[in-house]
Coordinates of all heavy atoms in Angstrom, one line a residue:
D88 N 92.8 90.8 99.1 CA 93.4 90.4 100.4 C 92.4 90.2 101.4 O 91.3 90.8 101.4 CB 94.4 91.6 100.8 CG 95.7 91.5 100.2 OD1 96.1 90.4 99.7 OD2 96.5 92.4 100.3
P89 N 92.7 89.3 102.4 CA 91.7 89.1 103.5 C 91.8 90.2 104.5 O 92.9 90.6 104.9 CB 92.2 87.8 104.1 CG 93.6 87.8 103.8 CD 93.9 88.5 102.5
V91 N 89.8 92.2 108.1 CA 88.9 92.2 109.2 C 88.6 93.6 109.7 O 89.6 94.4 109.6 CB 89.3 91.3 110.4 CG1 89.2 89.8 110.0 CG2 90.7 91.6 110.8
R101 N 94.8 93.8 107.8 CA 95.0 92.6 107.1 C 94.9 91.4 108.0 O 95.6 91.3 109.0 CB 96.4 92.7 106.5 CG 96.6 93.4 105.1 CD 96.2 92.5 103.9 NE 97.1 91.4 103.8 CZ 98.2 91.3 103.0 NH1 98.5 92.4 102.3 NH2 98.9 90.2 102.9
A102 N 94.0 90.5 107.7 CA 93.8 89.4 108.6 C 95.0 88.5 108.7 O 95.4 88.1 109.8 CB 92.6 88.6 108.1
D103 N 95.7 88.2 107.6 CA 96.8 87.3 107.6 C 98.0 87.9 108.4 O 98.6 87.2 109.2 CB 97.3 86.9 106.2 CG 97.6 88.1 105.4 OD1 97.0 89.1 105.6 OD2 98.4 87.9 104.4
R104 N 98.2 89.2 108.2 CA 99.3 89.8 108.9 C 99.0 90.0 110.4 O 99.9 89.8 111.3 CB 99.6 91.2 108.3 CG 100.9 91.8 108.8 CD 101.2 93.1 108.1 NE 101.4 92.8 106.7 CZ 101.0 93.5 105.7 NH1 100.2 94.6 105.9 NH2 101.2 93.2 104.4
M105 N 97.8 90.3 110.8 CA 97.4 90.4 112.2 C 97.6 89.1 112.9 O 98.1 89.1 114.1 CB 95.9 90.9 112.2 CG 95.5 91.5 113.5 SD 93.9 92.2 113.4 CE 93.9 93.2 114.9
I106 N 97.2 88.0 112.3 CA 97.3 86.7 112.9 C 98.8 86.4 113.1 O 99.2 85.9 114.1 CB 96.6 85.6 112.1 CG1 95.1 85.9 112.1 CG2 96.9 84.2 112.6 CD1 94.3 85.1 111.1
S107 N 99.6 86.6 112.1 CA 101.0 86.4 112.2 C 101.7 87.1 113.3 O 102.5 86.6 114.0 CB 101.7 86.7 110.8 OG 103.1 86.5 110.8
E108 N 101.4 88.4 113.4 CA 102.0 89.3 114.4 C 101.6 88.9 115.8 O 102.3 89.1 116.7 CB 101.7 90.7 114.0 CG 102.4 91.2 112.8 CD 102.0 92.6 112.4 OE1 101.1 93.2 113.0 OE2 102.6 93.2 111.4
A109 N 100.3 88.5 115.9 CA 99.8 88.2 117.2 C 100.3 86.8 117.8 O 100.6 86.7 119.0 CB 98.3 88.2 117.2
G110 N 100.3 85.8 116.9 CA 100.6 84.5 117.4 C 101.7 83.7 116.7 O 102.0 82.6 117.0
G111 N 102.3 84.3 115.7 CA 103.3 83.7 114.9 C 102.8 82.6 113.9 O 103.5 81.9 113.3
L112 N 101.4 82.5 113.8 CA 100.8 81.5 112.9 C 100.8 82.1 111.5 O 100.2 83.1 111.3 CB 99.4 81.2 113.4 CG 98.6 80.1 112.6 CD1 99.4 78.8 112.6 CD2 97.2 80.0 113.1
E113 N 101.4 81.4 110.5 CA 101.4 81.8 109.2 C 100.2 81.2 108.4 O 100.2 80.0 108.2 CB 102.7 81.5 108.5 CG 103.9 82.2 109.1 CD 103.9 83.7 108.9 OE1 103.3 84.2 108.0 OE2 104.6 84.4 109.7
I114 N 99.3 82.0 107.9 CA 98.2 81.5 107.1 C 98.3 82.2 105.7 O 98.4 83.5 105.7 CB 96.8 81.8 107.7 CG1 96.7 81.2 109.1 CG2 95.7 81.4 106.8 CD1 95.4 81.4 109.7
P115 N 98.4 81.5 104.6 CA 98.6 82.1 103.3 C 97.4 83.1 103.0 O 96.3 82.8 103.4 CB 98.5 80.9 102.3 CG 98.9 79.8 103.1 CD 98.4 80.0 104.5
E116 N 97.7 84.2 102.3 CA 96.7 85.2 102.1 C 95.5 84.7 101.3 O 94.4 85.3 101.3 CB 97.3 86.5 101.5 CG 97.9 86.2 100.1 CD 98.7 87.4 99.6 OE1 99.5 88.0 100.4 OE2 98.5 87.8 98.5
N117 N 95.7 83.7 100.5 CA 94.6 83.1 99.7 C 93.9 81.9 100.3 O 93.2 81.2 99.6 CB 95.2 82.8 98.3 CG 96.3 81.7 98.3 OD1 96.7 81.4 99.4 ND2 96.7 81.2 97.2
A118 N 94.1 81.8 101.6 CA 93.4 80.7 102.3 C 91.9 81.0 102.4 O 91.5 82.2 102.2 CB 94.0 80.5 103.7
G119 N 91.1 80.1 102.8 CA 89.7 80.3 103.0 C 89.4 81.3 104.1 O 90.2 81.3 105.1
L120 N 88.4 82.0 104.0 CA 88.0 83.0 105.0 C 87.8 82.4 106.3 O 88.0 83.0 107.4 CB 86.8 83.9 104.6 CG 87.0 84.7 103.3 CD1 85.7 85.4 102.9 CD2 88.1 85.8 103.5
E121 N 87.2 81.2 106.3 CA 86.9 80.5 107.6 C 88.2 80.2 108.4 O 88.2 80.2 109.6 CB 86.1 79.2 107.4 CG 86.8 78.1 106.6 CD 86.8 78.4 105.1 OE1 86.2 79.4 104.6 OE2 87.4 77.6 104.4
E122 N 89.3 80.0 107.7 CA 90.6 79.8 108.4 C 91.0 81.0 109.2 O 91.5 80.9 110.3 CB 91.7 79.4 107.4 CG 91.5 78.0 106.8 CD 92.7 77.6 106.0 OE1 93.9 77.7 106.5 OE2 92.6 77.2 104.8
F123 N 90.8 82.2 108.6 CA 91.2 83.4 109.3 C 90.2 83.6 110.5 O 90.7 83.9 111.6 CB 91.1 84.6 108.4 CG 92.0 84.5 107.2 CD1 91.6 84.3 105.9 CD2 93.4 84.7 107.4 CE1 92.5 84.2 104.9 CE2 94.3 84.7 106.4 CZ 93.8 84.4 105.1
D124 N 89.0 83.4 110.3 CA 88.0 83.6 111.4 C 88.4 82.6 112.6 O 88.3 83.0 113.8 CB 86.6 83.3 111.0 CG 86.1 84.3 110.0 OD1 86.6 85.5 110.1 OD2 85.2 84.1 109.2
Q125 N 88.7 81.4 112.3 CA 89.0 80.4 113.3 C 90.3 80.7 114.0 O 90.3 80.6 115.3 CB 89.1 79.0 112.6 CG 89.3 77.9 113.6 CD 89.3 76.5 112.9 OE1 89.4 76.4 111.7 NE2 89.2 75.4 113.7
A126 N 91.3 81.2 113.3 CA 92.6 81.5 113.9 C 92.4 82.7 114.9 O 93.0 82.8 115.9 CB 93.6 81.8 112.9
I127 N 91.6 83.7 114.4 CA 91.4 84.9 115.3 C 90.6 84.5 116.5 O 91.0 85.0 117.6 CB 90.6 86.0 114.4 CG1 91.5 86.6 113.4 CG2 90.0 87.1 115.4 CD1 90.7 87.5 112.4
L128 N 89.7 83.6 116.4 CA 88.9 83.2 117.6 C 89.8 82.4 118.5 O 89.8 82.6 119.8 CB 87.7 82.4 117.1 CG 86.7 81.9 118.2 CD1 86.1 83.1 118.9 CD2 85.7 81.0 117.6
Q129 N 90.5 81.4 118.0 CA 91.3 80.5 118.8 C 92.4 81.2 119.6 O 92.8 80.9 120.7 CB 91.8 79.4 118.0 CG 90.8 78.4 117.5 CD 91.4 77.3 116.6 OE1 92.5 77.4 116.2 NE2 90.6 76.3 116.4
N130 N 93.0 82.3 118.9 CA 94.1 83.0 119.5 C 93.7 84.2 120.3 O 94.5 85.0 120.8 CB 95.1 83.4 118.4 CG 95.9 82.2 117.9 OD1 96.9 81.8 118.4 ND2 95.4 81.6 116.8
I132 N 92.5 87.1 119.3 CA 93.0 88.3 118.7 C 91.9 89.4 118.7 O 90.8 89.1 118.2 CB 93.5 88.1 117.3 CG1 94.6 87.0 117.4 CG2 94.0 89.3 116.7 CD1 95.1 86.5 116.0
A144 N 86.1 87.8 108.6 CA 87.0 88.1 107.5 C 86.2 88.2 106.2 O 85.3 87.5 105.9 CB 88.1 87.1 107.4
R146 N 87.0 89.6 101.7 CA 88.0 89.9 100.7 C 87.9 91.4 100.3 O 86.8 91.9 100.1 CB 87.8 89.0 99.5 CG 88.1 87.5 99.8 CD 89.5 87.2 99.9 NE 89.8 85.8 100.3 CZ 90.9 85.3 100.5 NH1 92.0 86.1 100.5 NH2 91.1 84.1 100.8
R293 N 112.5 80.0 97.3 CA 111.6 79.2 98.1 C 110.4 78.7 97.2 O 109.7 79.5 96.7 CB 111.1 80.0 99.3 CG 110.2 79.2 100.2 CD 109.9 80.0 101.5 NE 109.1 81.2 101.2 CZ 107.8 81.2 101.2 NH1 107.1 80.0 101.4 NH2 107.1 82.2 100.9
D297 N 100.8 74.8 97.5 CA 99.6 75.0 96.8 C 98.8 76.2 97.3 O 98.1 76.9 96.6 CB 98.7 73.7 96.8 CG 99.3 72.6 95.9 OD1 100.2 73.0 95.0 OD2 99.0 71.5 96.1
K298 N 98.7 76.3 98.7 CA 97.9 77.4 99.3 C 98.6 78.8 99.1 O 98.0 79.8 99.3 CB 97.6 77.1 100.7 CG 96.6 76.0 100.9 CD 96.2 75.9 102.4 CE 95.2 74.8 102.6 NZ 94.7 74.7 104.0
E299 N 99.9 78.8 98.9 CA 100.7 80.0 98.8 C 100.7 80.6 97.3 O 100.8 81.8 97.1 CB 102.1 79.8 99.3 CG 102.2 79.6 100.7 CD 103.7 79.4 101.1 OE1 104.3 78.3 100.8 OE2 104.3 80.3 101.7
K300 N 100.6 79.7 96.3 CA 100.8 80.1 95.0 C 99.6 81.1 94.5 O 98.5 81.0 95.0 CB 100.7 78.9 94.0 CG 101.9 78.0 94.2 CD 101.8 76.9 93.1 CE 100.6 76.0 93.3 NZ 100.7 74.9 92.4

Side-chain angles (χ1 to χ4, degrees):
D88 274 347
V91 289
R101 273 277 297 265
D103 56 332
R104 188 173 299 137
M105 198 173 196
I106 293 167
S107 174
E108 292 174 352
L112 179 63
E113 298 292 337
I114 300 180
E116 62 188 50
N117 59 352
L120 295 178
E121 64 279 358
E122 290 189 49
F123 297 109
D124 291 335
Q125 188 175 8
I127 288 170
L128 183 64
Q129 290 179 348
N130 290 275
I132 300 173
R146 295 286 178 185
R293 184 172 66 87
D297 290 338
K298 288 188 175 182
E299 293 180 284
K300 292 185 298 185

